[in-house]
Amino acid sequence: MLMKTSVAAPDIAANTSGIVLDNLRVAYHDQVVLKPLTLTIEPGEVLALIGPSGSGKTTVLRAIAGFVPPAGGRILLGDRDISALPPYQRGLGMVVQNYALFPHMKVEDNMAFGLRAQKQPRALIAERVQDALKMVGMCDFATRYPHQLSGGQQQRVAIARAIATRPQVLLLDEPLSALDAQIRHNMVEEIARLHRELPELTILYVTHDQTEALTLADKIGIMKEGSMVAYGETHTLYQRPPNRFAAEFLGRANILAATALEVQQQSGEVCVSSGGTLVNACTSGNMRGRNKLLCVRPQHITLQPRSPRSNRLNATLQSLHWQGDLTHLLCDVAGETVRVVLTQLNPLPQVGDALTLWFEPEDAVLLEVDHV
């Protein structure tokens, strides 16, 4: 059963350039692929949708773009219902993973295509094209053809073409997945810079890459099997995931069986039996009883206590992988596996060594067992 109470999206609110999904549902041949979704993306906000393949994240984007008809509900751009409008009348910009540049057109003509379709004056088209090229650092490539550009350059042109029409909303569908790691990293920085220069631009970013989502998004929605199972501000969702699926999908997480004993009234934390010892953790509710889960991120665990309140777990080192500035440890804690990621670890422990693992109560989250 999917949890609903902990992942509610914001209420529908009037806005000028944001996106409102009002009970949006999508079905293909009577098979529901997007269950009713109510969501508001505020003007100027960057929302990243992540989830496994087939989870429904691209379906949400394609429905907003007008390429997938809703089976129910409404799509609003600001206060305007665009549910029945064709894509070219919605005033949206879109960038997909395969660039979709016209191979027979020079960069400047690719850039001008949407503006010409809008029947904009020639002088305005030239000005918008130049502005957009400057924004993505591609002014020197205006007369080249797509095949004369690298993958990263083609993607810059695709983004510039989308923003040249001055859309209220920019839809990005896995825009960097075809690029290699270094170019992808650079493009993430470019998109972040672009949004700083266009703060009024609302962005919906669909990606399978959690690093891109964490870097770019103000808020993140996590999709699974056609439903949104977690939603919230990026930092909060990472630090306080509402369920196991969110904890493990958005970054790595150690998940240990736990029993909640009592709430510490002074700190608001809960005392937990887990990993063969007692620890303190944060909780979103007044949890008590067995069959709970303790969530701790690998990078939040150290081999030395950081404060008098640090929790401790007794562990045995199973394996060690040194990767230069990072060392990955795999440890056994009371029969459960715990991952630890450390920086500047010297000397390195040996497999079989007894270790004491430390983490702060605010870095541990108690979750209910669920089937999300």
Side-chain angles (χ1 to χ4, degrees):
M1 182 183 298
L2 296 175
M3 294 181 65
K4 296 181 180 178
T5 57
S6 60
V7 298
D11 294 334
I12 294 177
N15 58 74
T16 56
S17 64
I19 305 169
V20 175
L21 307 182
D22 179 12
N23 216 30
L24 179 67
R25 186 172 67 90
V26 175
Y28 297 138
H29 306 294
D30 296 326
Q31 180 180 357
V32 175
V33 294
L34 179 66
K35 298 168 187 176
L37 175 63
T38 295
L39 173 70
T40 296
I41 309 174
E42 299 292 346
E45 189 171 81
V46 181
L47 172 66
L49 289 185
I50 64 174
S53 297
S55 60
K57 57 187 187 295
T58 295
T59 298
V60 173
L61 183 143
R62 289 177 59 81
I64 294 170
F67 300 127
V68 175
R74 297 184 303 158
I75 304 167
L76 289 85
L77 178 61
D79 300 323
R80 184 168 61 107
D81 190 337
I82 62 171
S83 308
L85 293 179
Y88 62 88
Q89 290 184 359
R90 298 194 176 198
L92 307 173
M94 186 170 179
V95 180
V96 296
Q97 59 183 317
N98 63 354
Y99 319 137
L101 299 178
F102 299 110
H104 62 288
M105 291 184 183
K106 296 176 182 178
V107 165
E108 58 189 3
D109 294 322
N110 266 282
M111 300 274 298
F113 182 83
L115 293 165
R116 288 173 180 152
Q118 294 176 350
K119 302 188 184 303
Q120 299 288 356
R122 183 176 299 180
L124 179 63
I125 292 174
E127 178 185 339
R128 292 272 187 88
V129 167
Q130 189 65 23
D131 287 347
L133 284 173
K134 187 182 300 182
M135 200 168 288
V136 298
M138 291 293 290
C139 290
D140 294 338
F141 300 87
T143 59
R144 294 194 185 183
Y145 289 92
H147 72 270
Q148 296 173 316
L149 304 175
S150 68
Q153 290 169 335
Q154 290 184 51
Q155 195 59 290
R156 286 180 186 225
V157 173
I159 293 171
R161 181 177 62 181
I163 64 175
T165 58
R166 305 286 173 88
Q168 295 175 292
V169 173
L170 180 61
L171 306 176
L172 301 172
D173 185 12
E174 303 271 13
L176 310 182
S177 61
L179 306 177
D180 64 46
Q182 185 56 51
I183 296 176
R184 191 162 61 242
H185 175 77
N186 293 340
M187 285 301 301
V188 168
E189 294 180 346
E190 286 293 322
I191 294 172
R193 181 187 59 77
L194 177 67
H195 192 250
R196 288 194 298 270
E197 294 185 13
L198 300 171
E200 74 285 356
L201 183 64
T202 304
I203 297 178
L204 176 60
Y205 192 101
V206 168
T207 180
H208 66 278
D209 190 306
Q210 57 189 251
T211 301
E212 292 175 17
L214 290 169
T215 302
L216 292 170
D218 300 307
K219 293 177 183 174
I220 292 177
I222 302 178
M223 305 288 295
K224 182 183 180 185
E225 296 176 355
S227 292
M228 186 172 288
V229 297
Y231 175 90
E233 293 185 0
T234 299
H235 184 267
T236 301
L237 193 61
Y238 182 81
Q239 293 292 112
R240 301 282 185 269
N243 50 58
R244 179 172 189 162
F245 185 80
E248 294 183 316
F249 198 87
L250 188 63
R252 287 191 168 187
N254 293 303
I255 305 293
L256 303 176
T259 298
L261 300 178
E262 61 177 330
V263 175
Q264 310 291 326
Q265 296 298 333
Q266 186 172 0
S267 64
E269 296 164 354
V270 60
C271 181
V272 176
S273 172
S274 183
T277 189
L278 298 180
V279 300
N280 289 327
C282 296
T283 176
S284 58
N286 189 16
M287 294 186 185
R288 294 194 68 174
R290 294 180 174 274
N291 204 26
K292 311 296 182 187
L293 299 172
L294 184 69
C295 170
V296 187
R297 301 285 185 188
Q299 67 273 22
H300 289 158
I301 300 174
T302 63
L303 299 186
Q304 298 292 334
R306 296 200 298 266
S307 77
R309 301 176 61 249
S310 294
N311 294 312
R312 62 179 291 169
L313 296 174
N314 296 318
T316 302
L317 182 60
Q318 294 178 313
S319 65
L320 179 149
H321 299 283
W322 179 78
Q323 295 181 347
D325 58 338
L326 296 178
T327 302
H328 297 254
L329 309 180
L330 208 61
C331 302
D332 177 270
V333 175
E336 296 190 87
T337 299
V338 172
R339 297 178 183 273
V340 183
V341 179
L342 300 170
T343 58
Q344 300 177 339
L345 181 59
N346 187 31
L348 297 177
Q350 303 297 312
V351 172
D353 283 356
L355 302 177
T356 303
L357 309 181
W358 302 86
F359 58 94
E360 301 306 300
E362 58 266 26
D363 291 330
V365 182
L366 192 65
L367 305 175
E368 293 280 9
V369 172
D370 56 66
H371 302 289
V372 174

